[in-house]
């Protein structure tokens, strides 16, 4: 027994040891993992700090390079004075032979430095002129005779000659001073050599040359501004010293710049030089220099606009103002237009894209121009925008879909800027051009992405209009909508829908899809409106914009739906779903706290008209079979349930009537979808919802009236439908997972009442089969 007990204790202790060992390994694993994680985190922080310090030092050195260099030389000079006494004690006892040797050393070093100076600067000037000869003729002489470089050459030569003359020193007392002087002359010459090399490299570097052009323009414009301020009293009357007239234009500056019309000549030459840089280096394939040249043009235009101030004038409606034309802006835009044409002829997509970007940036700059009044037309921005749009359109015949897509995005960005900084109607021309360019993707399949991009950008324009703080958006919204409708109409008519690919839906998805960009935007806006407080003025503006957008939306949607059905396109399903979803969102907005009574009525009316577009759907057998395959009955029922939830009597009645006519007229076709039966289930469920807007007796009376019409189902179809309805009524208590929204709602109403109502409707459909026994 003892042995057995000892064995049991041994086994227990062994198990405990194993558990302890496993627990210890687990703790070590946790500790190692934690430590490893801490070490990795510390290393990551250290590397991050290292890179940050390295970046900061680089930036600091670029800013303070000259000062640090001069300070270092001064510090080195001060340090060199410490051993002066020691060297003096060593050299004062030199004899004449050693002094002669020292003179020979000065003479030979000085002569060598003279030769080195000439040789170094010969190579520097040769290399510089070889590279500088690529410059425009206006810059060639300027850079090839750089005064700073020539000054360094002269200074170096004179220092070398000075070092040679040091050899004339007489005695040992002068030798120590001359020795110090010669050492510092050699150091200075070495520093000047380095500076000359860097200066030469900067002069032959096209990026530095462009920066020099920009700096020269800035200096020139600042000089003219100072001249104007000094001459300003000469252009004012003694009695009145106001520079602004009652329209806000600076008439004094206008007169000064008009008289001194040559004030912008240097700026125009700078633009010419930049254009030359851009064209030349794109031929070499150096697009970095080309991009820098175009960026310099943008910067020069910005400096020009700032210098000219309030002397810009916009177009007026009835009177032509000669001061509207700005020759500098016209020349800049014309140069870029020619650049685009050259790039198109060379099929250089990179160069085309760079010039498009430059024009888009110029539009942004010209939008900042201050005109006489806040509501003045942005004349110069419109001019640059027209150059951009015409340039993009000119690419269309040359099979460059990528450039067209990027161009459409640029036009959209420009339109957004106009919407923010100008008036809403200013985006109409942009929307028209986007649609025109996008239409190229209809006939040519390789350009289909261009069509998709155009629809996407027009959708974005619609979204930006809805969130805009401007008033009177109706015209702009209608124009954008017409362009979207035009693209969809042309695409439906000229391109066949492929059954498995759904071509129409794919390329029109951004706007005409429940998962597209527009519905996403409208849903987000609806959620914000529903969460807003009653006095939220911003959301009130958004509601007004949505109301303007929804006004008349039913007409193009009806036409597109009928065309999609005619063309047997899958887009018909997207439009039906889109219509019902928008109806739901409009009804949701009408119930928000921010929405007042008038807006609520208008939104409900627009929603009802949009829902009514579904009444135009043909009821022929093929159309009914196709749409029921898209769950048309379910869609109508869901729209009715949404109307019930938001307590909209008009939309609920429209949806109910649609369900009834769809069930009666569509159910007369034997296509296997049980349209009549499922419509009856949907109508009965709607009638039994709490506080339903549909009375039971009225529902039965409407069913009787519709059955009496010539296009109602035959008696055979009614009998079969009645049998199925009675079977359904007897099996309402069975539980299951419902994929149908109709069956799901049926499970939520009073089953006893629903059973009775279904039997009554079945009896209306087939009174002769009332007594037939139904096996549940």
């Amino acid at each position: 027994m003892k042995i057995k007990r000892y064995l049991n204790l041994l086994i227990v202790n062994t198990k405990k040891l194993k558990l302890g060992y496993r627990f210890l390994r687990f703790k070590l694993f946790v500790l190692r993992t934690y430590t490893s994680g801490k070490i990795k985190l510390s290393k990551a922080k250290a590397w991050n700090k290292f890179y940050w310090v390295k970046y900061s030092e680089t930036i600091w050195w670029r800013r303070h390079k000259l000062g640090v260099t001069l300070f270092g030389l001064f510090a080195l000079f001060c340090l060199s004075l410490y051993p002066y006494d020691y060297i003096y004690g060593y050299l004062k006892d030199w004899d004449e032979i050693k002094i002669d040797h020292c003179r020979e050393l000065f003479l030979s070093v000085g002569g060598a430095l003279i030769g080195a100076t000439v040789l170094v600067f010969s190579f520097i000037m040769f290399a510089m002129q070889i590279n500088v000869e690529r410059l425009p003729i206006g810059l060639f002489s300027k850079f090839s005779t750089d005064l700073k470089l020539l000054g360094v050459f002269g200074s170096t030569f004179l220092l070398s000659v000075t070092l040679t003359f040091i050899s004339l020193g007489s005695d040992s007392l002068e030798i120590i001073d001359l020795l110090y002087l010669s050492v510092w002359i050699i150091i200075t010459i070495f520093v000047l050599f380095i500076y000359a090399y860097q200066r030469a490299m900067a002069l032959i570097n096209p990026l530095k040359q462009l920066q020099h052009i920009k700096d020269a323009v800035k200096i020139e414009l600042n000089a003219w501004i100072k001249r104007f301020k000094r001459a300003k009293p000469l252009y004012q009357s003694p009695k009145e010293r106001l520079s602004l007239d009652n329209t806000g234009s600076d008439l004094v500056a206008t007169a000064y710049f008009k008289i001194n019309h040559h004030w912008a000549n240097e700026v125009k030459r700078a633009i010419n030089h930049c254009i030359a840089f851009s064209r030349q280096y794109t031929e070499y394939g150096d697009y970095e220099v080309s991009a820098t040249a175009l960026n310099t043009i943008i910067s020069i235009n910005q400096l020009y606009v700032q210098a000219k101030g309030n002397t810009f004038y916009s177009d007026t409606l009835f009177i032509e103002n000669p001061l509207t034309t700005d020759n500098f802006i016209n020349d800049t835009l014309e140069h870029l237009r020619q650049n685009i044409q050259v790039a198109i002829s060379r099929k250089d997509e990179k160069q085309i894209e760079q010039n498009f970007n430059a024009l888009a940036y110029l539009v942004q700059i010209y939008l900042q121009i201050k005109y006489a009044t806040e509501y003045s037309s942005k004349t110069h921005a419109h001019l640059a925008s027209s150059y951009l749009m015409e340039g993009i359109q000119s690419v269309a015949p040359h099979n460059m879909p990528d450039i067209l897509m990027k161009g459409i995005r640029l036009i959209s960005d420009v339109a957004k800027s106009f919407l923010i900084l100008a008036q809403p109607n200013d985006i109409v021309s942009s929307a028209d051009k986007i649609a025109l360019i996008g239409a190229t993707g209809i006939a040519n399949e390789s350009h289909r992405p261009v069509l998709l991009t155009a629809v996407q950008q027009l959708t974005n324009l619609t979204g930006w209009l809805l969130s805009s703080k401007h008033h009177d958006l109706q015209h702009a919204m209608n124009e954008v909508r017409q362009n979207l409708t035009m693209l969809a109409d042309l695409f439906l008519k000229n391109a066949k829908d492929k059954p498995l690919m759904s071509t129409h839906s794919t390329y029109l998805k951004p706007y005409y899809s429940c998962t597209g960009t527009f519905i996403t935007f409208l849903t987000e806006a609806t959620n914000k409106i529903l969460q807003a407080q009653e006095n939220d003025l911003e959301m009130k503006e958004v509601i007004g914009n949505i109301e303007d957008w929804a006004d008349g939306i039913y007409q193009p949607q009806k036409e597109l739906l009928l065309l999609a059905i005619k063309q047997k396109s899958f887009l018909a399903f997207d439009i039906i779903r889109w219509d019902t979803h928008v109806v739901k969102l409009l009804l949701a907005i009408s119930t928000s706290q921010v929405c007042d009574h008038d807006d609520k009525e208008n939104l409900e009316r627009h929603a009802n008209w949009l829902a009514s577009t579904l009444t135009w759907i043909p009821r022929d057998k093929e159309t009914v079979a196709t749409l029921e395959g898209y769950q048309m009955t379910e869609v109508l029922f869901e729209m009715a349930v949404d109307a019930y939830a938001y307590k909209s009597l008009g939309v609920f009645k429209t949806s109910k009537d649609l369900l009834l006519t769809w069930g009666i007229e569509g159910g007369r076709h034997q296509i296997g979808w049980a349209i009549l039966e499922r419509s009856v289930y949907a109508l009965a469920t709607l009638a039994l919802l709490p506080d339903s807007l549909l009375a039971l007796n009225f529902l039965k009376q409407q069913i009787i009236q519709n059955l009496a019409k010539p296009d109602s189902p035959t008696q055979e179809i009614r009998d079969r439908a009645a049998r199925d309805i009675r079977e359904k009524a007897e099996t309402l208590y069975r539980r299951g997972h419902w994929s149908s929204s109709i069956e799901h709602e049926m499970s939520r109403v009073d089953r006893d009442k629903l059973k009775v109502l279904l039997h009554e409707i079945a009896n209306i459909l087939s009174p002769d089969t009332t007594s037939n026994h139904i096996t549940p």
Side-chain angles (χ1 to χ4, degrees):
M1 295 295 293
K2 290 182 178 181
I3 295 173
K4 187 176 181 180
R5 187 169 65 253
Y6 289 148
L7 289 174
N8 290 333
L9 289 173
L10 182 61
I11 292 171
V12 172
N13 291 331
T14 303
K15 291 181 177 178
K16 289 183 178 179
L17 287 173
K18 288 182 177 180
L19 290 174
Y21 175 70
R22 291 177 180 174
F23 181 69
L24 180 61
R25 287 185 61 186
F26 176 73
K27 290 184 66 177
L28 290 174
F29 172 75
V30 173
L31 181 62
R32 185 164 59 250
T33 303
Y34 176 75
T35 306
S36 176
K38 293 284 288 184
I39 292 174
K40 289 180 179 179
L41 181 61
S42 301
K43 288 175 65 177
K45 289 182 178 179
W47 278 112
N48 187 47
K49 186 68 175 178
F50 170 75
Y51 290 131
W52 172 251
V53 171
K54 186 176 179 181
Y55 172 76
S56 302
E57 287 180 352
T58 303
I59 298 299
W60 184 85
W61 172 251
R62 289 178 180 176
R63 293 177 178 176
H64 306 91
K65 179 168 60 176
L66 178 62
V68 172
T69 303
L70 294 176
F71 177 78
L73 292 174
F74 177 75
L76 184 62
F77 174 76
C78 294
L79 290 174
S80 67
L81 296 178
Y82 279 100
Y84 183 85
D85 294 336
Y86 173 77
I87 297 173
Y88 178 76
Y90 177 75
L91 296 180
K92 69 179 181 178
D93 297 330
W94 274 17
D95 54 14
E96 190 64 27
I97 296 175
K98 292 183 178 180
I99 293 175
D100 289 340
H101 289 314
C102 191
R103 291 194 188 103
E104 292 176 359
L105 176 65
F106 291 154
L107 181 62
S108 60
V109 172
L113 287 177
I114 291 174
T117 301
V118 174
L119 183 63
V120 168
F121 275 89
S122 296
F123 278 111
I124 287 177
M125 295 303 292
F126 177 73
M128 191 183 72
Q129 288 191 352
I130 288 177
N131 288 274
V132 169
E133 68 180 1
R134 300 178 182 177
L135 292 173
I137 189 63
L139 293 177
F140 176 77
S141 58
K142 186 174 184 179
F143 284 117
S144 60
T145 57
D146 184 66
L147 294 179
K148 291 183 179 180
L149 195 59
L150 295 177
V152 170
F153 170 71
S155 301
T156 307
F157 185 80
L158 290 176
L159 288 173
S160 302
V161 173
T162 302
L163 184 60
T164 305
F165 280 103
I166 287 177
S167 61
L168 300 177
S170 60
D171 55 20
S172 61
L173 296 178
E174 295 177 351
I175 287 297
I176 183 171
D177 296 328
L178 296 176
L179 180 63
Y180 265 90
L181 179 60
S182 64
V183 170
W184 277 103
I185 286 176
I186 294 172
I187 293 174
T188 304
I189 290 175
F190 178 73
V191 172
L192 290 176
F193 276 166
I194 295 176
Y195 173 78
Y197 172 78
Q198 293 179 343
R199 179 70 179 175
M201 292 300 102
L203 288 176
I204 66 176
N205 185 352
L207 301 182
K208 298 292 185 180
Q209 293 167 358
L210 289 167
Q211 181 64 39
H212 182 79
I213 292 173
K214 176 183 172 182
D215 294 340
V217 167
K218 188 174 183 179
I219 294 173
E220 179 73 11
L221 290 177
N222 288 335
W224 275 106
I225 292 174
K226 290 180 180 179
R227 293 173 191 171
F228 163 68
K229 290 180 179 178
R230 292 166 183 166
K232 188 175 181 179
L234 300 176
Y235 292 84
Q236 295 175 308
S237 62
K239 297 181 180 180
E240 185 177 5
R241 298 297 179 184
L242 296 176
S243 62
L244 296 178
D245 70 342
N246 56 0
T247 64
S249 299
D250 195 338
L251 299 181
V252 175
T254 301
Y256 180 81
F257 290 137
K258 193 70 176 176
I259 293 173
N260 299 278
H261 55 85
H262 60 284
W263 75 279
N265 288 348
E266 185 66 28
V267 187
K268 292 179 181 179
R269 280 193 291 269
I271 294 294
N272 293 333
H273 297 331
C274 292
I275 289 294
F277 269 101
S278 175
R279 292 184 185 176
Q280 184 175 13
Y281 280 92
T282 50
E283 293 179 0
Y284 300 149
D286 195 342
Y287 294 103
E288 181 180 359
V289 177
S290 174
T292 305
L294 294 176
N295 289 334
T296 305
I297 291 175
I298 295 170
S299 300
I300 291 174
N301 273 268
Q302 191 167 12
L303 293 172
Y304 175 80
V305 169
Q306 293 173 356
K308 199 171 180 184
N310 294 337
T311 61
F312 288 97
Y313 295 85
S314 62
D315 290 326
T316 54
L317 187 58
F318 300 107
I319 303 175
E320 183 177 355
N321 187 354
L323 296 176
T324 300
T325 302
D326 189 290
N327 292 328
F328 170 77
I329 291 178
N330 292 346
D331 290 346
T332 301
L333 297 177
E334 182 61 23
H335 281 311
L336 292 176
R337 185 195 67 80
Q338 294 174 4
N339 245 14
I340 292 172
Q341 296 304 315
V342 171
I344 291 175
S345 65
R346 296 174 55 240
K347 299 289 185 180
D348 192 338
E349 295 188 7
K350 189 68 176 179
Q351 185 183 4
I352 297 172
E353 181 183 349
Q354 289 180 349
N355 282 274
F356 285 167
N357 290 331
L359 283 171
Y361 276 113
L362 289 179
V363 174
Q364 306 291 338
I365 292 173
Y366 298 157
L367 278 172
Q368 306 296 330
I369 293 176
K370 296 180 180 179
Y371 294 99
T373 63
E374 182 182 356
Y375 300 101
S376 298
S377 174
K378 302 289 185 179
T379 302
H380 301 90
H382 279 294
L383 180 62
S385 176
S386 66
Y387 269 87
L388 172 63
M389 291 187 291
E390 292 301 324
I392 296 171
Q393 185 179 351
S394 65
V395 177
H398 298 279
N399 195 26
M400 299 180 187
D402 289 342
I403 297 299
L404 289 178
M405 292 164 63
K406 293 175 183 177
I408 288 174
R409 295 189 189 101
L410 286 176
I411 295 175
S412 177
D413 293 339
V414 166
K416 184 179 181 180
S417 300
F418 273 108
L419 186 60
I420 295 174
L421 301 173
Q423 300 300 318
N425 292 336
D426 291 337
I427 73 169
V428 171
S429 58
S430 299
D432 293 341
K433 192 62 69 174
I434 289 174
L436 182 61
I437 298 172
T440 61
I442 296 176
N444 190 348
E445 288 194 19
S446 63
H447 284 56
R448 289 286 164 81
V450 178
L451 173 63
L452 177 62
T453 304
V455 175
Q456 178 66 65
Q457 298 309 317
L458 289 173
T459 302
N460 291 342
L461 284 181
T462 305
W464 296 333
L465 284 169
L466 292 180
S467 59
S468 174
K469 295 182 180 180
H470 289 284
H471 301 287
D472 300 327
L473 301 172
Q474 188 74 50
H475 175 65
M477 287 181 173
N478 289 338
E479 289 297 320
V480 175
R481 180 195 302 162
Q482 288 178 8
N483 283 297
L484 281 165
T485 305
M486 182 268 292
L487 285 177
D489 183 85
L490 289 176
F491 195 39
L492 284 169
K493 290 179 179 177
N494 295 279
K496 291 185 178 181
D497 198 19
K498 298 179 181 180
L500 298 179
M501 297 182 62
S502 302
T503 306
H504 296 154
S505 298
T506 300
Y507 293 103
L508 299 176
K509 179 180 179 180
Y511 189 79
Y512 296 101
S513 174
C514 289
T515 59
T517 306
F518 176 73
I519 290 296
T520 301
F521 178 86
L522 190 59
T523 302
E524 293 176 354
T526 302
N527 292 332
K528 291 180 181 179
I529 291 171
L530 293 176
Q531 296 171 5
Q533 300 298 323
E534 186 176 357
N535 56 352
D536 193 329
L537 298 180
E538 182 179 353
M539 289 298 104
K540 286 182 179 292
E541 292 179 353
V542 174
I543 290 176
N545 295 341
I546 293 175
E547 182 184 334
D548 291 339
W549 168 81
D551 187 11
I553 190 65
Y554 68 93
Q555 185 64 32
Q557 290 300 113
K558 182 195 77 172
E559 295 173 357
L560 281 180
L561 176 59
L562 296 178
L563 180 59
I565 293 172
K566 180 181 178 181
Q567 300 293 334
K568 301 179 183 179
S569 171
F570 187 79
L571 184 66
F573 169 72
D574 288 332
I575 295 175
I576 291 171
R577 283 286 185 181
W578 189 93
D579 289 350
T580 56
H581 196 81
V582 171
V583 167
K584 177 181 178 179
L585 294 177
L586 293 178
L587 294 179
I589 294 172
S590 68
T591 61
S592 65
Q593 299 179 4
V594 191
C595 191
D596 56 30
H597 179 71
D598 292 337
D599 289 336
K600 177 181 175 64
E601 287 187 350
N602 291 332
L603 289 171
E604 287 188 352
R605 184 175 67 254
H606 299 325
N608 191 26
W609 287 348
L610 185 58
S612 300
T613 58
L614 303 180
T615 61
W616 294 88
I617 295 176
R619 301 297 198 271
D620 59 276
K621 184 176 181 179
E622 185 178 3
T623 301
V624 171
T626 301
L627 294 185
E628 191 59 30
Y630 302 151
Q631 298 182 329
M632 183 66 179
T633 306
E634 299 281 343
V635 171
L636 296 176
F637 175 75
E638 291 170 3
M639 186 168 63
V641 171
D642 291 334
Y644 165 80
Y646 295 114
K647 299 179 181 179
S648 174
L649 177 60
V651 178
F652 183 84
K653 183 179 181 301
T654 300
S655 304
K656 179 264 301 178
D657 293 340
L658 275 168
L659 260 175
L660 183 57
T661 56
W662 179 257
I664 299 297
E665 297 176 7
R668 63 191 174 93
H669 304 295
Q670 300 183 17
I671 55 177
W673 289 106
I675 298 176
L676 180 57
E677 297 92 309
R678 294 171 64 243
S679 299
V680 168
Y681 303 151
L683 290 167
T685 304
L686 292 174
L688 293 175
L689 291 173
D691 302 324
S692 176
L693 304 175
L694 179 59
L696 299 181
N697 292 331
F698 181 69
L699 172 62
K700 290 183 282 186
Q701 184 180 0
Q702 280 193 311
I703 293 174
I704 294 172
Q705 292 176 355
N706 280 272
L707 288 174
K709 294 180 179 180
D711 53 357
S712 62
T714 62
Q715 190 59 49
E716 180 183 357
I717 296 176
R718 298 184 196 180
D719 293 341
R720 185 172 60 252
R723 183 178 66 252
D724 293 341
I725 292 171
R726 294 187 183 105
E727 290 179 358
K728 187 69 174 180
E730 297 297 332
T731 57
L732 292 175
Y733 290 92
R734 293 180 182 176
R735 296 184 177 273
H737 177 74
W738 299 283
S739 59
S740 167
S741 58
I742 296 176
E743 293 184 353
H744 177 69
E745 289 296 331
M746 289 174 66
S747 66
R748 300 176 61 182
V749 299
D750 191 321
R751 292 187 178 89
D752 293 333
K753 293 182 179 179
L754 180 58
K755 178 180 178 180
V756 174
L757 181 57
L758 289 178
H759 277 291
E760 292 177 350
I761 295 175
N763 295 338
I764 294 174
L765 292 174
S766 180
D768 296 336
T769 60
T770 303
S771 60
N772 290 357
H773 179 68
I774 300 298
T775 302

